[in-house]
Amino acid sequence: MSINTRMIEITCNDRLGKKVRVKCNPDDTIGDLKKLIAAQTGTRWEKIVLKKWYTIYKDHIKLEDCNIN
Protein backbone atom coordinates (compact mmCIF):
# COMPACT_ATOMS: atom_id res chain seq x y z
CA MET A 1 0.00 0.00 0.00
CA SER A 2 1.44 3.34 -0.96
CA ILE A 3 1.44 6.33 1.36
CA ASN A 4 -0.67 8.70 -0.80
CA THR A 5 -3.40 6.21 -1.65
CA ARG A 6 -6.80 7.74 -1.08
CA MET A 7 -9.57 5.59 0.28
CA ILE A 8 -12.70 5.00 -1.74
CA GLU A 9 -16.23 4.43 -0.46
CA ILE A 10 -18.24 1.68 -2.09
CA THR A 11 -22.00 1.30 -1.66
CA CYS A 12 -23.24 -2.28 -1.91
CA ASN A 13 -26.88 -3.23 -2.33
CA ASP A 14 -28.07 -6.68 -1.23
CA ARG A 15 -31.15 -6.48 -3.49
CA LEU A 16 -33.46 -6.85 -0.45
CA GLY A 17 -33.48 -3.18 0.45
CA LYS A 18 -30.34 -3.05 2.60
CA LYS A 19 -27.39 -0.90 1.54
CA VAL A 20 -23.92 -1.06 3.07
CA ARG A 21 -21.16 1.52 2.71
CA VAL A 22 -17.60 0.24 2.91
CA LYS A 23 -14.37 2.25 2.84
CA CYS A 24 -11.34 0.54 1.31
CA ASN A 25 -8.22 1.22 -0.73
CA PRO A 26 -8.08 0.94 -4.54
CA ASP A 27 -5.31 -1.65 -4.27
CA ASP A 28 -7.48 -4.00 -2.15
CA THR A 29 -8.81 -7.12 -3.82
CA ILE A 30 -12.42 -8.12 -4.35
CA GLY A 31 -11.90 -10.78 -1.67
CA ASP A 32 -10.83 -8.08 0.81
CA LEU A 33 -13.93 -6.06 -0.06
CA LYS A 34 -16.13 -9.11 0.52
CA LYS A 35 -14.60 -9.56 3.97
CA LEU A 36 -15.31 -5.92 4.85
CA ILE A 37 -18.91 -6.29 3.66
CA ALA A 38 -19.28 -9.53 5.63
CA ALA A 39 -18.09 -7.79 8.80
CA GLN A 40 -20.92 -5.26 8.49
CA THR A 41 -23.73 -7.54 7.31
CA GLY A 42 -23.05 -10.73 9.25
CA THR A 43 -23.05 -12.83 6.08
CA ARG A 44 -20.17 -15.23 5.46
CA TRP A 45 -17.79 -13.69 2.93
CA GLU A 46 -17.67 -16.90 0.86
CA LYS A 47 -21.40 -16.54 0.16
CA ILE A 48 -21.17 -12.95 -1.13
CA VAL A 49 -21.21 -12.49 -4.91
CA LEU A 50 -20.26 -9.04 -6.19
CA LYS A 51 -21.82 -8.09 -9.51
CA LYS A 52 -22.15 -4.97 -11.57
CA TRP A 53 -24.83 -5.49 -14.18
CA TYR A 54 -23.92 -8.91 -15.61
CA THR A 55 -20.24 -8.90 -14.65
CA ILE A 56 -19.33 -11.13 -11.70
CA TYR A 57 -16.08 -10.09 -10.04
CA LYS A 58 -13.49 -12.72 -9.02
CA ASP A 59 -11.78 -12.59 -5.61
CA HIS A 60 -8.16 -12.14 -6.73
CA ILE A 61 -8.68 -9.00 -8.86
CA LYS A 62 -7.81 -5.56 -7.47
CA LEU A 63 -10.49 -2.88 -7.29
CA GLU A 64 -8.51 -0.47 -9.44
CA ASP A 65 -8.26 -3.12 -12.17
CA CYS A 66 -12.06 -3.55 -12.16
CA ASN A 67 -12.54 0.19 -12.63
CA ILE A 68 -14.32 0.45 -9.27
CA ASN A 69 -13.81 3.93 -7.90
Side-chain angles (χ1 to χ4, degrees):
M1 183 174 121
S2 75
I3 300 295
N4 12 347
T5 304
R6 63 178 180 87
M7 294 190 76
I8 57 175
E9 184 176 68
I10 298 173
T11 303
C12 300
N13 183 0
D14 72 350
R15 308 296 289 168
L16 296 173
K18 185 190 229 181
K19 287 189 178 179
V20 176
R21 287 185 177 174
V22 179
K23 291 191 182 224
C24 56
N25 294 316
D27 59 347
D28 288 343
T29 63
I30 295 292
D32 296 335
L33 177 60
K34 285 183 180 182
K35 291 175 186 173
L36 292 170
I37 294 168
Q40 288 192 11
T41 61
T43 308
R44 291 192 355 228
W45 74 272
E46 299 95 354
K47 297 282 185 182
I48 296 174
V49 177
L50 293 180
K51 292 197 251 185
K52 186 176 181 184
W53 290 94
Y54 295 106
T55 305
I56 298 175
Y57 294 113
K58 303 291 182 180
D59 289 344
H60 65 279
I61 300 173
K62 291 187 178 185
L63 297 176
E64 59 194 9
D65 295 337
C66 298
N67 205 9
I68 296 176
N69 50 19

